[in-house]
Amino acid sequence: MTATQENINDEFTKNPELKKKDLQELKCWLGTQMHLPSISEEQLIVFLHSCYYDVARTKNCIETYYTLRTKTPEIFTNRDLKHPENQKMLTVLNYIVLPVTDPNGNNVIFHSLKQTEPSKYSFADAARVYFMMIDWCIQHDGTSPGIVIVFDVTGLRFGHLTKLSLSLIHKILIYIQEGMPVRLKAIHILNTIPIADQIMYLTKPFMNKELQKLIHFHKRNDESIYEYLPKNSMPRDFGGELPTVAELDASYILKLHQLQDYFKEEEKFCVDENKRSNIRKNKDNFVPLGH
């Protein structure tokens, strides 16, 4: 038995809701979507799981995933960690998938500033490496209960706000809400400050109600985060029992480098608009929210 077939068998074992007939329906549908790249059975399972086994929703997720990744090259290309822009972001920001899940088995993704000078920050470059982290979770775990995102906004300044692009934020939020093949369970903002409220004001028009409900704000010295993430799943800097943020960041980046070949290969899986036969595209060639 190949490793791939073994992985597929494992997915059926751990996901009783996964049905072969749903996979077959997706394969038949893909046969009519000439603009989409080839998608493996393992990938289809991840998409189905992320959409709670709703086949219609899964089709939209696949469409949005590949179309937005094709139409947003500033984030989803040049994903070589040795690329200067990526190297710079690794020195400016902490990127960590914590080594311990939360009590519900969700992966916890931690993100914060190492350097607080806005001139060193690039929104697109930061987002590129961030989504590489999420791809790492998918490749490492296959299907999983979900992910929890933790942002520590200590050091965030108005200058960072001027670096944001509303058009890119719009695409990112469509991707998160309709194209990202994971179950997003919560977003926690630590050490929240007034500038975080301004960012929320800018981004809220692009969020559906479900995403808004997932966001939790925690003020400085507020221990409410422990209601969601116990101390054994938090870094030592935050009163937890895990190693420090700096130690975790250094350890995780080594793991991220191990998927370098995958990141390069994955860039090849794009939408070919010349072969698109459906009429769902708009001028940017992606499916709008809610469709």
Side-chain angles (χ1 to χ4, degrees), residues 180-236:
M180 193 167 69
V182 297
R183 296 180 178 182
L184 180 59
K185 298 294 187 174
I187 300 173
H188 295 281
I189 313 297
L190 305 184
N191 297 311
T192 186
I193 49 179
I195 191 70
D197 293 334
Q198 294 181 47
I199 293 175
M200 186 67 181
Y201 175 79
L202 287 173
T203 57
K204 192 173 181 179
F206 306 129
M207 297 184 191
N208 59 30
K209 292 181 180 179
E210 289 74 17
L211 181 59
Q212 292 177 37
K213 290 177 182 177
L214 297 180
I215 302 175
H216 307 273
F217 292 92
H218 307 273
K219 295 180 180 179
R220 190 175 300 278
N221 299 320
D222 181 356
E223 295 191 351
S224 61
I225 185 62
Y226 299 135
E227 298 173 16
Y228 305 91
L229 299 171
K231 292 187 176 183
N232 69 349
S233 60
M234 287 291 286
R236 193 178 306 152

Side-chain angles (χ1 to χ4, degrees), residues 11 13 40 81 89 101 118 137 144 175-176 196 198 202 261:
E11 292 290 358
T13 299
S40 71
L81 284 175
M89 287 305 100
T101 62
C137 289
S144 65
Y175 180 77
I176 289 173
Q198 294 181 47
L202 287 173
D261 289 343

